[in-house]
Amino acid sequence: MQKFKRIKGTQDILPQQANLWQNIEQTIRNCMAQFNYQELRTPLFEQTELFTRSIGQTTDIVSKEMYTFHDRGQKNLTLKPEMTASMIRAYIENNLASTSSFTKLYYITPLFRQENPQAGRLRQFHQFGAEALGSLSPQVDVEIILLALEIYNRLGITDLSLMINSVGDPQSREVFTAILKSYLKPLLDQYCSNCQKRYDTNPLRILDCKEENCSRLNLKAPRLIDYLSPESSQHFEQVQSLLIDHGVKFELNPFLVRGLDYYTRTVFEITSRELGSQDAICGGGRYDLLAEQLGGNPTPAVGFASGMERLLMVLAAQNKLPQNNERLQIYIAPLGDRATHQASLLLQRLRHRGYKADQDYAQRSLKSQMREANRYNAQLVILIGDNEIDQNLYSIKDMRNGQQYSVKIDEIDQFLEKTL
Ligand code: HAM
């Protein structure tokens, strides 16, 4: 019989790992709550046009990587390749601006991009991220960066690099694009084939090409930050000086462009040497015009998203994966039919009282049941056999110190309360 395999570029998160994920997600949620960000969940798929209009037709994500399909009603739908567009769609559709002119939202979600799978690059991956909607203040750009850094810090990650840049507003970008193109034109045949294609479709992206030759040629290219409008320039200076005041180390990287078209002004990436060629653990920036582009009121906004799988890779490389401290409180080991029946009644009662408990159902030998209790890291084992039933008591072994007890059935609650 054919055995099925998971789709290339996807992962099963097995129980041990799922436990790690929950642990990390809890740290993320706690930190988001402390920064006063609230969770917003959106559907896994959206109308395709939401993404083409926001991320941009010529970006890699839209032109090559989206899982797009027609449903039975011939609607053109796409599995979310990123979350920002969905958040803004939900923000507008649910009129969240009516409650407050400043809204802070976060998410932890699976996403889908049909990329070439490799370490740290999957087709179904997960991001956590935050979006602050309704403020132009550079303080908020900095809050978003501090929030991402605080989460990494709480998880114990060290040695990250923060790169920032400003991509200005569309007017300065238009002027700059013409200047950049005239610089690139005579050199174009020395650039990689990807960059040659980008010359017509998305010339700014040539600036952050990772090919060695292209990066070398780019060193002499004009820099967008030299063509910013006075407002964008001032905003960027304020962001930098606030970061300095907060003691945050960063590198100004004039070649940082990002692969999504909605950005205005501040953009940033956080990278880790631990990640190899896919070294970005986090990316984000300001997108002041997106809400309007999606039919909403003008709403300046800024946010970040961080890859969960890459976060786990960095944690593993730095030996900082949270410990799995999960343990069962009580394992019931019955011997014989009568005992198995009694165990199941006791088990249900214990669970109802809030204990994390389990029992053997397979009528295995005492030795195998004790092995199973060890596998679950059980604190107590309650042994029930014919003797115990006849004498109206339970034999209890405390697995933490090897102590044994005989406890009367009607005194079990007090015993557990005292011992656990
Ligand atoms: P992005 O740079 O496309 O930005 O993705 C953010 C992060 O998601 C990356 O730095 C990386 O850690 C992770 N990531 C992206 N693609 C993959 C993949 N195929 N496999 C594994 N991890 C991946 C955005 O998505 C923007 N929405 C960020 C943002 C939020 N900008 C403003 N607000």
Side-chain angles (χ1 to χ4, degrees), residues 206-265:
I206 296 179
L207 289 178
D208 69 2
C209 179
K210 302 281 183 293
E211 294 279 331
E212 212 181 309
N213 200 35
C214 304
S215 322
R216 193 180 44 77
L217 289 164
N218 283 339
L219 286 177
K220 293 208 177 110
R223 300 168 357 143
L224 179 49
I225 43 168
D226 297 328
Y227 296 85
L228 297 181
S229 67
E231 297 77 22
S232 293
S233 190
Q234 193 196 14
H235 184 271
F236 192 41
E237 263 157 36
Q238 286 172 326
V239 169
Q240 293 178 70
S241 97
L242 279 164
L243 284 174
I244 293 169
D245 292 347
H246 279 281
V248 175
K249 290 207 179 78
F250 63 89
E251 182 196 330
L252 199 171
N253 177 353
F255 304 113
L256 180 66
V257 176
R258 308 264 309 125
L260 304 104
D261 282 355
Y262 48 61
Y263 290 111
T264 48
R265 299 193 173 179

Side-chain angles (χ1 to χ4, degrees), residues 82 84 113 115 120 122 125 127 131 258 262-263 280-281 303 307:
E82 65 109 39
T84 310
R113 295 184 193 174
E115 303 198 69
L122 291 145
F125 61 102
Q127 277 183 353
E131 316 287 348
R258 308 264 309 125
Y262 48 61
Y263 290 111
I281 191 174

Side-chain angles (χ1 to χ4, degrees), residues 61 65 81-85 107 111-113 115 118 120-127 129-131 152 258-260 262-263 268-270 275 278-287 302-311:
I61 297 178
E65 294 167 2
E82 65 109 39
M83 191 58 175
T84 310
Y107 48 88
L111 297 168
F112 307 86
R113 295 184 193 174
E115 303 198 69
Q118 52 175 274
R121 193 198 261 170
L122 291 145
R123 292 185 168 176
Q124 176 174 338
F125 61 102
H126 299 75
Q127 277 183 353
E131 316 287 348
Y152 300 135
R258 308 264 309 125
L260 304 104
Y262 48 61
Y263 290 111
F268 63 91
E269 268 180 18
I270 300 173
L275 286 173
Q278 302 302 313
D279 64 352
I281 191 174
C282 174
R286 205 162 246 296
Y287 49 94
V302 55
F304 82 86
S306 176
M308 284 291 285
E309 287 79 1
R310 292 189 195 178
L311 174 67

